[in-house]
Amino acid sequence: MSVAFKGENTSSKSTVWKFLIPSLIGILLFLVPIKVNGEVTIGVGVLASLLLKGAGDYIPHFILILLAFTVAFTLLTVAFKPSVIVNRPFLKNVFLVGWFGITTRVFGLAVGVMAFFEIGPEFIASRNTGGVVLYDLAPVLLTWFLFAGILLPLLVEFGLMEFVGALLKKIMRPLFTLPGRSSIDTMASWMGAGTVGVLVTMKQYDEGYYTKREAAVIATTFSIASVAFSLVVAKVAKIDHLFIPFYITVSIASVVAAIIMPRIPPLSRKADTYYEPVGQRIDESQPEGVSNIQWGWRQALDKASTAKSPMGLAKDGIQTVLDIWLGLIPLVMSLGALALIVAEFTPVFSIISYPLVPILELMQLPQAAEAAPTMLVGFADMFLPAVIGGSIDAEITRFVVAALSLTQLVYMSEIGILILRSNIPVSIVDLFIIFIERTIITLPIIVLIAHLFVFN
């Protein structure tokens, strides 16, 4: 392929291999589905599952130690500001936090201790609240992000996103108002987990490749549930025998939402400016007479030629993992537990869902009163609607509840907290509005498909 490059070093064979080999490994680890023990996952998921299976009994112990370590060093840093921490930007960013950070970390540790030793108030120590975050959510995040954080450079640092971005920008920009490279985020979510997609987006935003608006749209619109998780939800809702029409329904509704959401507030009002400490690091302008594939190849090799050394990338990966372990896990323990407490031990979601009952009846969904709370409880945790809705007798209603829980996308116990922890400019109010908007957009689509094609 004879294309002019910025520098001669980018056209060398070594640069070509520097682009191809890591990118192919990244594709195999993050984007290629594998079937293991009857479940569809990705290479990073296999590694995470192996660690979770081999060390699963010890991971809650490790999480408690991690929480205690974070609290101790946070209090030490805030109180005494030791130079060994405050003079190192990474450590300062992790441990020098405000009162909100201190409170959530201390409460997160308290939740972990009460859930582990089964002491204290039932609404915190219960297996359905504190137990869920300690034994279910936190271990999955811990293991997934260990491998995703360290191996992510293979996907984003060697030119793959530049190459794919050039090929798909004429589809992604007019349809979704996004750069072509965002398709990689979506595929990472689809094949792996929504949290991996958000991690990709966070890194790209922090490095100046997405604007504030683009990052906010991608994180809240394209971090879709994986095929594997969707199958689990279908099983819990007792509709796994309908998985193919179920997942097609989820996909259609999600695509429609992805077209609409970037064009309405609050996402449409986000600034199209880049993360200030870094600035813009990408130029999508394409020279006349250069095809998309030629331009993608050129951009990919330019990126590969400037990639950091293996040691530099390993250091960045370890810092990403530690930032998530020390910053995100305490948030998951505290805010995730609070969300589950509200869902499990208060009538809040039942009360605010009352207006939905006549709407669901108008849509001819049986057991509308039982289904209504599940339509909103997903804001706390994506798994709750399927768990609660699994007891509904009407199969069409269980189908709608499960499908909607996957298209709503924004849930606080995991995705929401990860977004709030990032530099992406999305507030908790934004997340709730986006959750409601996605519900309004996707619910009629799901009900229509269910009535016309699945249960006709």
Side-chain angles (χ1 to χ4, degrees), residues 129-187:
T129 52
V132 167
V133 288
L134 178 63
Y135 294 106
D136 299 332
L137 287 178
V140 170
L141 288 177
L142 190 105
T143 52
W144 269 89
F145 281 125
L146 171 62
F147 295 105
I150 291 173
L151 298 171
L152 192 62
L154 296 169
L155 202 63
V156 301
E157 297 291 344
F158 292 93
L160 178 64
M161 296 194 76
E162 282 70 17
F163 185 69
V164 173
L167 296 183
L168 295 181
K169 68 179 181 179
K170 289 188 177 178
I171 298 172
M172 299 298 290
R173 186 63 74 181
L175 264 185
F176 308 115
T177 74
L178 296 172
R181 64 196 298 117
S182 62
S183 57
I184 294 288
D185 303 50
T186 310
M187 291 177 69

Side-chain angles (χ1 to χ4, degrees), residues 116-362:
F116 186 83
F117 293 104
E118 298 180 355
I119 57 175
E122 173 68 13
F123 66 89
I124 297 177
S126 167
R127 185 62 180 84
N128 294 327
T129 52
V132 167
V133 288
L134 178 63
Y135 294 106
D136 299 332
L137 287 178
V140 170
L141 288 177
L142 190 105
T143 52
W144 269 89
F145 281 125
L146 171 62
F147 295 105
I150 291 173
L151 298 171
L152 192 62
L154 296 169
L155 202 63
V156 301
E157 297 291 344
F158 292 93
L160 178 64
M161 296 194 76
E162 282 70 17
F163 185 69
V164 173
L167 296 183
L168 295 181
K169 68 179 181 179
K170 289 188 177 178
I171 298 172
M172 299 298 290
R173 186 63 74 181
L175 264 185
F176 308 115
T177 74
L178 296 172
R181 64 196 298 117
S182 62
S183 57
I184 294 288
D185 303 50
T186 310
M187 291 177 69
S189 297
W190 183 38
M191 297 303 174
T195 47
V196 176
V198 175
L199 182 60
V200 176
T201 307
M202 286 165 51
K203 294 282 286 181
Q204 291 288 288
Y205 174 68
D206 288 349
E207 293 172 8
Y209 293 103
Y210 290 147
T211 66
K212 292 178 172 66
R213 184 192 62 81
E214 289 168 352
V217 169
I218 297 163
T220 60
T221 305
F222 283 84
S223 300
I224 56 179
S226 69
V227 177
F229 183 78
S230 302
L231 182 55
V232 172
V233 167
K235 285 180 179 176
V236 172
K238 302 169 190 170
I239 53 161
D240 47 307
H241 59 289
L242 297 169
F243 182 71
I244 292 176
F246 171 75
Y247 200 74
I248 290 172
T249 303
V250 169
S251 300
I252 292 171
S254 296
V255 168
V256 173
I259 294 171
I260 296 172
M261 290 299 298
R263 294 172 168 85
I264 60 176
L267 292 176
S268 64
R269 292 182 178 172
K270 300 296 179 185
D272 255 320
T273 55
Y274 291 82
Y275 185 44
E276 285 80 3
V278 177
Q280 183 174 352
R281 297 276 300 278
I282 183 174
D283 181 8
E284 282 200 298
S285 58
Q286 187 168 323
E288 291 287 333
V290 177
S291 69
N292 287 349
I293 193 167
Q294 287 177 319
W295 182 241
W297 184 260
R298 178 189 304 184
Q299 294 285 88
L301 295 195
D302 283 342
K303 177 68 175 177
S305 69
T306 60
K308 292 182 181 179
S309 67
M311 285 299 293
L313 292 172
K315 180 184 175 183
D316 288 350
I318 291 168
Q319 286 190 348
T320 298
V321 172
L322 289 177
D323 185 41
I324 289 170
W325 278 10
L326 300 173
L328 178 67
I329 298 298
L331 268 179
V332 169
M333 293 299 301
S334 55
L335 299 187
L338 281 175
L340 291 170
I341 288 166
V342 171
E344 289 282 337
F345 289 92
T346 76
V348 169
F349 286 104
S350 296
I351 292 169
I352 63 176
S353 67
Y354 283 152
L356 275 175
V357 176
I359 296 171
L360 297 179
E361 288 175 343
L362 188 65

Side-chain angles (χ1 to χ4, degrees), residues 35-99:
K35 199 165 187 179
V36 179
N37 298 327
E39 292 187 359
V40 178
T41 185
I42 56 173
V44 170
V46 173
L47 295 174
S49 297
L50 287 173
L51 179 58
L52 199 57
K53 187 177 179 180
D57 293 341
Y58 303 101
I59 288 178
H61 300 75
F62 178 74
I63 290 170
L64 278 185
I65 294 169
L66 194 71
L67 292 169
F69 175 85
T70 305
V71 168
F73 274 82
T74 298
L75 295 176
L76 175 70
T77 303
V78 171
F80 302 104
K81 295 183 175 58
S83 58
V84 70
I85 292 178
V86 296
N87 291 340
R88 288 172 169 78
F90 171 71
L91 295 177
K92 181 181 177 182
N93 180 61
V94 171
F95 294 117
L96 192 59
V97 297
W99 284 107

